[in-house]
Amino acid sequence: MDTEATARSISVEILIDFEDNGVLDYSRANKLESRDRAEVREYVQNILRRRSYLDFLIDQFSNVKIDEMKSSLKNILRLGVYDMVFMDSTPDYAAINESVEIAKYSLGSRTGDLTNAILRNLQRDIDNLPKPNFEDRTKLVATTFSHPEWLVKRWTERFGEREAFKLMQANNKRPSYYIRVNNLRTKTENFKLRMTKHGIEFEESDWLPGYFKVDSVAPFISKGWLNKGFCQVQDIAAGFAPYLLDPQPEESVYDLCAAPGTKSVLMSDLMNGEGDILAVDISSERLDKLAESALSYHAENIRVRRADATEVELDETDAVLLDAPCTGTGVLSKRADLRWRRDQDSLDNAVELQAELLDSAAEMVKKGGRLVYSTCSLEEEENMEQVMSFLDRHDNFEMQSVEGYVPDEVMVHGGLAYQTFPHKHGCDGHFGVLLKRTS
């Protein structure tokens, strides 16, 4: 067999590593051409978006139950089934042949024969595939929409089945992306002309200035526009928190848990590169990348400091942004892997850490100053419940209206917070509030 690496074989390796070690490492694809590297990301994320349903199909056409299979065989079969069921551009014979060859090379000829038999069985019924039909309603929904059962149960109880279904369907769609123009390096109108000249289709948002919805970020990478600092990839909902903080050119601002730094760069843009932004993060490696980004974006008012935000002692400042670590249940379309990394313990741990970070951030805000707390979570324990618990502990802070900073359609809790939902707003799910220190 020709053992040359392909997008499919590398995708299988990445998926095996993720299942066995919880690590999603795309560096394995660096040996491939750029087009193939992009294909690897598509394969990995799409298979993770459909994993439970793919496993159900494999079980229907295999004499060996998927729970009894090695992770290597599972992921070879997931790749083949995904190609056959969801990739119209891939002929069945090609999907089967490559999956079989990968199995033979990595697991031996007998496993290759088993792979061939399972995929051929599925091929015979490709136009009449079985549907999940479990008596357990939660398991049925979880399998159909490929979400973990604990999350399905939470969302159906909170939103009702119909709304939860729409949310999970949105999470399983290929996401759109937003590009934000960096006005420290170019101007929005000039960048629009640049995109038009290169035949890039875009949709300009009326929510925030300089944001454009695009189908792919590949053209922006290939043309070097990200490296040159002309623009950055940032979901529009992620832009709400910096706009809500409303940093002014003469102010001093702290960005806690700052890496990878897209919000720091946006705040620098809003401040016209003036004033002072201290970006704090616990990861030195990610801070190094943030510092490099700041240079390329001409965000010269950003300083970096490696520190644990729950322990660091800083002078009081005008404004603090705390975009807190969270479960990430609002970004499951772009980060399909998160649905398989999270559980109830993850949620409990996130809530505990967020409370510690908020208490620490409160000590950094001067009287009359501002604190924005934000997450990319949909869970109330991480969002408004977390904020109300904070206010119970800190009676010198008050919630402020978000009206005028974010679109009316994303305001919740009487205008005291914003919350976006993928199925309602066509963007990632984000939450945020503005808190003012009164004494």
Side-chain angles (χ1 to χ4, degrees):
M1 170 193 167
D2 182 5
T3 60
E4 181 180 353
T6 65
R8 288 185 177 93
S9 67
I10 295 297
S11 298
V12 168
E13 291 180 14
I14 293 171
L15 288 164
I16 293 169
D17 196 21
F18 175 72
E19 184 152 353
D20 289 346
N21 306 308
V23 175
L24 194 65
D25 182 8
Y26 287 104
S27 66
R28 292 173 181 267
N30 289 346
K31 66 185 77 172
L32 302 176
E33 298 295 325
S34 60
R35 182 176 178 180
D36 291 330
R37 290 199 300 271
E39 189 176 357
V40 166
R41 287 184 176 270
E42 287 289 313
Y43 267 124
V44 170
Q45 286 296 316
N46 281 322
I47 288 170
L48 290 173
R49 288 187 192 107
R50 302 287 184 179
R51 194 172 83 174
S52 293
Y53 179 64
L54 295 174
D55 288 357
F56 165 78
L57 290 177
I58 292 167
D59 259 345
Q60 301 305 300
F61 295 99
S62 172
N63 291 326
V64 180
K65 291 300 178 185
I66 194 162
D67 290 342
E68 300 172 5
M69 295 178 184
K70 294 180 179 179
S71 60
S72 49
L73 178 56
K74 284 183 189 179
N75 285 292
I76 291 169
L77 289 169
R78 286 166 179 161
L79 174 79
V81 174
Y82 172 77
D83 259 339
M84 295 170 70
V85 176
F86 293 103
M87 291 288 286
D88 293 337
S89 60
T90 303
D92 287 351
Y93 73 84
I96 294 171
N97 288 348
E98 182 149 8
S99 295
V100 169
E101 290 303 304
I102 294 171
K104 284 182 178 179
Y105 175 72
S106 57
L107 298 171
S109 59
R110 290 183 63 184
T111 305
D113 292 341
L114 175 62
T115 300
N116 183 65
I118 294 169
L119 295 180
R120 294 288 180 192
N121 287 342
L122 184 143
Q123 184 187 30
R124 282 190 283 271
D125 284 345
I126 195 72
D127 294 324
N128 190 30
L129 293 174
K131 297 180 180 179
N133 186 26
F134 303 108
E135 290 186 8
D136 184 326
R137 185 69 176 171
T138 299
K139 183 177 181 180
L140 171 64
V141 174
T143 303
T144 301
F145 293 104
S146 290
H147 280 63
E149 291 187 22
W150 76 276
L151 197 54
V152 168
K153 187 175 181 181
R154 283 179 63 87
W155 284 356
T156 52
E157 288 177 354
R158 178 182 170 193
F159 302 122
E161 271 201 353
R162 183 169 182 171
E163 198 73 11
F165 289 179
K166 290 180 181 178
L167 173 56
M168 288 184 278
Q169 285 173 329
N171 289 340
N172 287 343
K173 291 180 180 177
R174 186 180 183 277
S176 295
Y177 296 89
Y178 280 90
I179 292 292
R180 186 191 72 83
V181 179
N182 175 34
N183 289 282
L184 297 171
R185 289 284 280 117
T186 186
K187 297 301 178 186
T188 298
E189 290 304 314
N190 292 343
F191 195 77
K192 286 169 64 176
L193 292 173
R194 186 187 295 264
M195 288 191 291
T196 301
K197 178 181 177 181
H198 287 87
I200 298 173
E201 294 185 1
F202 59 86
E203 178 185 337
E204 187 169 7
S205 175
D206 57 5
W207 277 3
L208 293 177
Y211 280 82
F212 300 89
K213 180 181 276 192
V214 296
D215 288 334
S216 171
V217 300
F220 302 89
I221 296 172
S222 64
K223 297 181 189 309
W225 296 346
L226 297 177
N227 289 336
K228 293 175 182 177
F230 294 150
C231 60
Q232 61 183 167
V233 181
Q234 183 182 57
D235 193 82
I236 193 164
F240 290 152
Y243 269 89
L244 185 58
L245 192 66
D246 193 25
Q248 300 300 306
E250 70 279 2
E251 288 187 319
S252 170
V253 178
Y254 297 159
D255 184 3
L256 306 181
C257 309
T262 52
K263 292 181 178 67
S264 293
V265 171
L266 171 52
M267 289 194 293
S268 180
D269 195 343
L270 295 174
M271 297 166 74
N272 301 321
E274 302 174 12
D276 182 74
I277 298 172
L278 179 62
V280 179
D281 200 90
I282 199 169
S283 169
S284 56
E285 181 180 353
R286 298 182 82 202
L287 274 181
D288 288 343
K289 293 179 180 178
L290 192 160
E292 291 176 11
S293 294
L295 288 175
S296 64
Y297 285 105
H298 287 194
E300 297 174 357
N301 60 337
I302 294 177
R303 297 180 293 121
V304 300
R305 178 169 175 178
R306 184 194 172 280
D308 184 337
T310 64
E311 299 175 355
V312 66
E313 295 184 5
L314 298 172
D315 293 336
E316 292 182 351
T317 193
D318 298 301
V320 175
L321 173 61
L322 173 57
D323 185 47
C326 65
T327 55
T329 56
V331 295
L332 298 186
S333 179
K334 291 190 177 81
R335 292 288 310 279
D337 56 295
L338 288 182
R339 71 186 74 185
W340 309 120
R341 294 177 186 263
R342 302 295 188 246
D343 55 22
Q344 184 62 49
D345 287 342
S346 304
L347 175 58
D348 295 341
N349 292 336
V351 170
E352 182 178 348
L353 175 58
Q354 291 155 4
E356 294 177 11
L357 288 165
L358 272 166
D359 288 343
S360 181
E363 300 298 318
M364 305 175 190
V365 182
K366 71 181 185 182
K367 183 179 178 181
R370 311 177 307 284
L371 167 61
V372 163
Y373 171 74
S374 63
T375 74
C376 57
S377 171
L378 306 180
E379 312 314 308
E380 282 293 282
E381 296 96 319
E382 299 182 87
N383 295 339
M384 188 53 79
E385 289 180 17
Q386 183 71 267
V387 173
M388 298 310 294
S389 178
F390 169 80
L391 293 174
D392 286 342
R393 300 191 304 273
H394 298 270
D395 60 5
N396 60 334
F397 278 83
E398 291 181 352
M399 295 179 69
Q400 305 292 297
S401 173
V402 302
E403 186 174 5
Y405 295 103
V406 300
D408 291 348
E409 54 262 50
V410 305
M411 293 193 300
V412 293
H413 298 289
L416 292 176
Y418 65 83
Q419 175 75 69
T420 56
F421 291 92
H423 65 298
K424 292 182 178 180
H425 304 114
C427 60
D428 291 341
H430 281 254
F431 168 88
V433 293
L434 173 62
L435 302 160
K436 180 179 180 180
R437 181 179 169 184
T438 57
S439 62

